[in-house]
Amino acid sequence: MSVVKSPLSETDLKTVGEALQGALVDLLDLSLVAKQVHWNVVGPRFRSVHLQLDDVVDTARQHSDTVAERASAIGVNPDGRAATIAKSTAIASVPEGWIKDVDAVKTLVDALGVVIGRMRERIEVTETPDPVSQDILITLTADLEKHAWMFQAESA
């Protein structure tokens, strides 16, 4: 039961709701992965990588709130619980312990690549049923692609 009346049809709501929920999970997990790496990165490029990781965390957290609020606005309950993230994520697990700066960069390049690929799929499926949600996904994907570029340049 939803207390919010959706402007979308049942079919469109299902499609858009799944896209927004998937985006929420990916963004929340990305923020957790980036923070875990942030706390454990070591090496000669520690400072630059450490600071860059916080930028990713900030972006992911900001966009996760926007995505969750959009879901609520159209009558979909956002689910950001740890158990939901754990069972739904496609991002690889971060290894325990200290992470060399080069490995930290690779971890983020890989994680961002996974999330960006999934966001691009969501952009496609939301085009017709809800251009407003699609616009949110486009904006956040552009920000994630900028972070991916910066981490890839870091490893060149």
Side-chain angles (χ1 to χ4, degrees):
M1 176 194 83
S2 176
V3 296
V4 177
K5 173 98 172 97
S6 179
L8 304 178
S9 71
E10 285 292 322
T11 304
D12 289 348
L13 186 61
K14 182 177 182 332
T15 299
V16 176
E18 288 173 0
L20 291 172
Q21 178 59 37
L24 178 62
V25 165
D26 284 352
L27 291 166
L28 291 172
D29 196 31
L30 180 62
S31 74
L32 294 171
V33 165
K35 203 51 146 167
Q36 181 66 25
V37 174
H38 167 89
W39 293 323
N40 291 287
V41 65
V42 294
R45 296 181 305 173
F46 164 80
R47 182 163 172 72
S48 65
V49 173
H50 183 80
L51 294 173
Q52 199 173 353
L53 287 161
D54 262 344
D55 291 342
V56 173
V57 171
D58 291 345
T59 296
R61 287 180 178 168
Q62 176 185 358
H63 285 301
S64 66
D65 193 52
T66 301
V67 166
E69 289 178 356
R70 176 63 185 161
S72 293
I74 63 169
V76 174
N77 295 101
D79 186 354
R81 297 173 298 163
T84 301
I85 296 166
K87 76 177 182 186
S88 305
T89 188
I91 300 173
S93 182
V94 176
E96 271 188 59
W98 302 115
I99 303 169
K100 292 186 179 210
D101 51 8
V102 294
D103 296 330
V105 169
K106 181 178 180 348
T107 297
L108 260 290
V109 167
D110 292 348
L112 285 162
V114 166
V115 173
I116 289 165
R118 289 165 53 114
M119 291 300 177
R120 287 187 159 273
E121 291 170 7
R122 294 177 185 118
I123 288 168
E124 284 185 38
V125 301
T126 56
E127 178 181 13
T128 300
D130 188 21
V132 176
S133 294
Q134 184 197 41
D135 186 55
I136 290 168
L137 296 171
I138 289 169
T139 299
L140 75 87
T141 302
D143 287 348
L144 295 177
E145 288 177 347
K146 183 175 180 182
H147 287 300
W149 159 57
M150 291 182 166
F151 274 106
Q152 289 173 36
E154 187 77 37
S155 64

